[in-house]
PDB file of all heavy atoms in Angstrom:
ATOM      1  N   PHE D 320       2.290  15.757  -5.412  1.00 94.00           N
ATOM      2  CA  PHE D 320       3.647  15.195  -5.403  1.00 94.00           C
ATOM      3  C   PHE D 320       3.572  13.792  -5.351  1.00 94.00           C
ATOM      4  O   PHE D 320       4.425  13.055  -6.078  1.00 94.00           O
ATOM      5  CB  PHE D 320       4.395  15.823  -4.162  1.00 94.00           C
ATOM      6  CG  PHE D 320       5.776  15.196  -4.106  1.00 94.00           C
ATOM      7  CD1 PHE D 320       6.805  15.697  -4.917  1.00 94.00           C
ATOM      8  CD2 PHE D 320       6.054  14.175  -3.303  1.00 94.00           C
ATOM      9  CE1 PHE D 320       8.140  15.097  -4.787  1.00 94.00           C
ATOM     10  CE2 PHE D 320       7.417  13.481  -3.186  1.00 94.00           C
ATOM     11  CZ  PHE D 320       8.343  14.110  -4.119  1.00 94.00           C
ATOM     12  N   LEU D 321       2.887  13.152  -4.533  1.00 94.00           N
ATOM     13  CA  LEU D 321       2.885  11.619  -4.411  1.00 94.00           C
ATOM     14  C   LEU D 321       2.423  10.956  -5.687  1.00 94.00           C
ATOM     15  O   LEU D 321       2.839   9.883  -6.086  1.00 94.00           O
ATOM     16  CB  LEU D 321       2.153  11.191  -3.171  1.00 94.00           C
ATOM     17  CG  LEU D 321       2.808  11.635  -1.758  1.00 94.00           C
ATOM     18  CD1 LEU D 321       1.830  11.301  -0.640  1.00 94.00           C
ATOM     19  CD2 LEU D 321       4.050  10.853  -1.614  1.00 94.00           C
ATOM     20  N   THR D 322       1.340  11.641  -6.298  1.00 93.00           N
ATOM     21  CA  THR D 322       0.873  11.126  -7.548  1.00 93.00           C
ATOM     22  C   THR D 322       1.847  11.243  -8.534  1.00 93.00           C
ATOM     23  O   THR D 322       2.220  10.325  -9.411  1.00 93.00           O
ATOM     24  CB  THR D 322      -0.424  11.957  -8.023  1.00 93.00           C
ATOM     25  OG1 THR D 322      -1.344  11.785  -7.102  1.00 93.00           O
ATOM     26  CG2 THR D 322      -0.904  11.377  -9.330  1.00 93.00           C
ATOM     27  N   MET D 323       2.657  12.353  -8.705  1.00 94.00           N
ATOM     28  CA  MET D 323       3.714  12.592  -9.547  1.00 94.00           C
ATOM     29  C   MET D 323       4.851  11.518  -9.404  1.00 94.00           C
ATOM     30  O   MET D 323       5.321  10.885 -10.347  1.00 94.00           O
ATOM     31  CB  MET D 323       4.379  13.863  -9.477  1.00 94.00           C
ATOM     32  CG  MET D 323       5.544  14.246 -10.362  1.00 94.00           C
ATOM     33  SD  MET D 323       6.106  15.996 -10.200  1.00 94.00           S
ATOM     34  CE  MET D 323       6.637  15.967  -8.481  1.00 94.00           C
ATOM     35  N   ALA D 324       5.219  11.117  -8.126  1.00 93.00           N
ATOM     36  CA  ALA D 324       6.304  10.183  -7.829  1.00 93.00           C
ATOM     37  C   ALA D 324       5.780   8.859  -8.276  1.00 93.00           C
ATOM     38  O   ALA D 324       6.556   8.101  -9.026  1.00 93.00           O
ATOM     39  CB  ALA D 324       6.482  10.225  -6.306  1.00 93.00           C
ATOM     40  N   ALA D 325       4.557   8.510  -8.004  1.00 93.00           N
ATOM     41  CA  ALA D 325       4.052   7.157  -8.316  1.00 93.00           C
ATOM     42  C   ALA D 325       3.969   7.005  -9.826  1.00 93.00           C
ATOM     43  O   ALA D 325       4.487   5.932 -10.392  1.00 93.00           O
ATOM     44  CB  ALA D 325       2.666   6.910  -7.684  1.00 93.00           C
ATOM     45  N   LEU D 326       3.376   7.910 -10.537  1.00 93.00           N
ATOM     46  CA  LEU D 326       3.242   7.716 -12.007  1.00 93.00           C
ATOM     47  C   LEU D 326       4.524   7.825 -12.649  1.00 93.00           C
ATOM     48  O   LEU D 326       4.715   7.089 -13.749  1.00 93.00           O
ATOM     49  CB  LEU D 326       2.389   8.839 -12.476  1.00 93.00           C
ATOM     50  CG  LEU D 326       0.838   8.899 -12.039  1.00 93.00           C
ATOM     51  CD1 LEU D 326       0.064   9.982 -12.632  1.00 93.00           C
ATOM     52  CD2 LEU D 326       0.113   7.530 -12.298  1.00 93.00           C
ATOM     53  N   SER D 327       5.492   8.571 -12.280  1.00 92.00           N
ATOM     54  CA  SER D 327       6.833   8.726 -12.884  1.00 92.00           C
ATOM     55  C   SER D 327       7.568   7.341 -12.591  1.00 92.00           C
ATOM     56  O   SER D 327       8.267   6.960 -13.610  1.00 92.00           O
ATOM     57  CB  SER D 327       7.622   9.894 -12.164  1.00 92.00           C
ATOM     58  OG  SER D 327       6.969  10.988 -12.411  1.00 92.00           O
TER      59      SER D 327
END
Side-chain angles (χ1 to χ4, degrees):
F320 175 81
L321 294 173
T322 301
M323 179 175 66
L326 295 183
S327 297

